[in-house]
Every structure is written in C-alpha cells, then in structure tokens.
Amino acid sequence: MNSPTSPYHASNLLQQPRIAFIGGGNMASAIVGGLLQQGYPAQALHIVEPVAEQRSRLAQQFPGVALHPAADSALVDAALVLWAVKPQVFKQAALECAPHLSASALHLSVAAGIRSDSMVRWLGSERIVRAMPNTPALVGLGMTGLYARPAVSSAEREQVQALLAGTGRTLWLAQESDLDAVTALSGSGPAYVFYFLEAMRRAGTELGLTPQAATELAIGTFAGAAQLAQRSSEPPEVLRQRVTSKGGTTHAALSAMEAAQISDAFVAAIAAAHRRAREMGAEFGD
C-alpha cells in the first residue's frame, strides 16, 4: 500500500507530460487538483468534457488547464489518457477516441466494472491500468485499488502511482477480478459510512440532541475510530472488544445489533454490490 507521500514527484511523472482526461467529473477533478498541488504544469493537462456547463465550472476551478468539447485535439501526443466516463458510455467514447490515440499512450480507467479485455478491443492497446477509487479522493483521503495488464511496465506503474498520489492511498492487486470486490468494499464504501452516519444522527435526535450536535458527534466518532484502526496493529475485532465491557452500554448496543443480524445484512449488501460490479462488466463491456 502506498501513502499520499509518494516518492514519485509529479514533475517527473512522465517523459511526455501531456495528460488527457476523458470526462471531467468528480474523480477527474480530484486527480487534476492533486496534480496541480504537486506542481504539475496546468498547460500539460487536457480535459475532454462535452457538457458546456461543466466545462465552465472546470475553467473556474482549474485556470490554465485546457478544456475541450471533443477528444480529437486533446489526444494529440497524450502520453497518458485517463478514462473517467460512466461505464454505460465508455464503449462509445473509446471508439470515438481510438483514431486519435497515440500508440504509445498509457491508459488508466477509473470506470467501474469495465474490464480491460473490453478496453483492449476498443482502444487497440494492451497498455491499460484499471483503478477503482472512491469519493474521499476529493479531499486527498481516497482508497484506490489498482490492476495493471502484463504489458504495463514497472516504470509505468510508478507513473500511475504518481498520478494518484494527491488523491490518497493505493493498493495494487494481482488479479483483475479482485477489482469487483474492491468496487463493492471501498468503491461503494463511503455510501455505507454515510448511511450509518444518517442512522446515528437520527438516533441522536430521537434521544434529544439537536441534528447539528448529533451529526458532529457521529462524524467525529467515525473519523476518530478510523484513525485509531489505521494506527493500530490490532484487528478491528480486538479494538471492538476493548471498548465493550460486559453489561455496559456498548455491550447493550452491540447485542441489539447482533439480535437484528446487522452484520449478516451488511455482508449481504456488499455481496450485492459485488454481483452488480460483475454484471456491469458483462452489460457494458461487449
């Protein structure tokens, strides 16, 4: 696993520094923002975004970054192409861009579900890395799973790590199928946290706290517990046991959760996300 303090400085990211982003949504914005914070030159970054309103927002957010309504001019001499489009439009975007791509370009996809075999057919390149980030990348605290096809060199892996350094942590996976599990666990994971935050806020207000106080307490608890788990060498079950005195308040809460089979339901929910990730690869990849 790699921390945000990557040893690969952005100024040395690529021998040919031009990077083209296909799609200018949240994840592309997080990566662009991270690169700019590392000192990467804005003029070397090109974003293809067909929606005029979104291009206007990007222009205000990232002065100096080149914005394009179509891909043809943006892809000229691009050393790395980052695919940040929705899975259902990936094929169309890839086929439209393929004639303009450099044969030497490295491709990085952050689209959920779309398998690299499909990308090879559409793009005519084996040099593909798949990434599954999550939305905390927007504040530099993301968790991204990565898989590289065999044609991607170790130096190019380093380039990808440098590209993502400003978004948070990265974890390389040995097999591509593991990305479906990453999608279900950490890719969708922030929504699970927000779901529990909603429930904790509701519980707090029903117990008499103001919504503001309940929200602040819930968020602070999640943030602190996550930091404690990250810094500890002990597994979550040990950390849980240390704050659970038999007959105490925490024990009462956890006993209620166990009676409601919340753990089993949560595991089943993540399994449902995993199935959907696999289905998306078949649905949008042919």
Side-chain angles (χ1 to χ4, degrees):
M1 184 179 293
N2 303 96
S3 71
T5 55
S6 170
Y8 312 111
H9 193 271
S11 63
N12 299 318
L13 178 58
L14 297 166
Q15 293 179 350
Q16 302 177 56
R18 185 164 179 156
I19 303 175
F21 292 77
I22 311 300
N26 285 339
M27 204 52 61
S29 296
I31 296 171
V32 169
L35 286 171
L36 293 174
Q37 288 178 359
Q38 294 178 76
Y40 206 82
Q43 64 270 22
L45 303 177
H46 296 253
I47 304 176
V48 178
E49 175 50 63
V51 179
E53 184 179 357
Q54 178 64 3
R55 286 201 307 276
S56 178
R57 285 196 292 267
L58 290 167
Q60 294 178 359
Q61 187 176 4
F62 303 123
V65 172
L67 300 169
H68 307 260
D72 47 2
S73 59
L75 295 175
V76 176
D77 296 328
L80 188 146
V81 181
L82 189 141
W83 297 88
V85 295
K86 295 184 182 300
Q88 55 266 38
V89 301
F90 196 122
K91 181 178 181 179
Q92 178 184 350
L95 294 177
E96 290 176 358
C97 291
H100 309 289
L101 293 169
S102 167
S104 62
L106 177 66
H107 298 273
L108 173 62
S109 168
V110 297
I114 302 298
R115 298 165 189 152
S116 64
D117 284 345
S118 298
M119 295 180 218
V120 169
R121 292 197 303 272
W122 302 335
L123 301 174
S125 174
E126 288 279 349
R127 299 175 62 241
I128 292 171
V129 177
R130 282 187 61 193
M132 188 62 241
N134 60 16
T135 54
L138 295 169
V139 292
L141 295 172
M143 185 70 241
T144 300
L146 293 166
Y147 167 79
R149 288 183 71 89
V152 177
S153 69
S154 58
E156 288 167 336
R157 285 180 175 231
E158 293 176 1
Q159 292 170 4
V160 169
Q161 285 181 200
L163 184 72
L164 298 174
T167 67
R169 295 176 175 272
T170 58
L171 177 67
W172 286 99
L173 303 166
Q175 53 189 20
E176 184 173 5
S177 59
D178 287 344
L179 280 176
D180 291 333
V182 171
T183 301
L185 189 64
S186 62
S188 298
Y192 314 150
V193 174
F194 301 145
Y195 185 85
F196 277 99
L197 287 174
E198 289 180 71
M200 291 176 73
R201 179 186 62 193
R202 176 186 166 192
T205 55
E206 289 181 359
L207 294 172
L209 295 172
T210 65
Q212 181 179 358
T215 300
E216 185 173 347
L217 287 164
I219 292 173
T221 299
F222 258 92
Q227 283 292 320
L228 178 60
Q230 188 175 68
R231 295 178 185 181
S232 176
S233 60
E234 295 178 321
E237 54 269 28
V238 172
L239 297 175
R240 172 180 55 78
Q241 291 164 2
R242 285 189 170 176
V243 294
T244 308
S245 301
K246 190 171 183 179
T249 58
T250 307
H251 183 266
L254 292 176
S255 295
M257 291 185 193
E258 289 177 2
Q261 298 182 317
I262 287 178
S263 179
D264 291 341
F266 193 33
V267 171
I270 295 175
H274 180 254
R275 286 194 300 273
R276 182 54 186 155
R278 297 180 65 181
E279 290 169 358
M280 289 171 66
E283 184 176 349
F284 302 123
D286 295 330

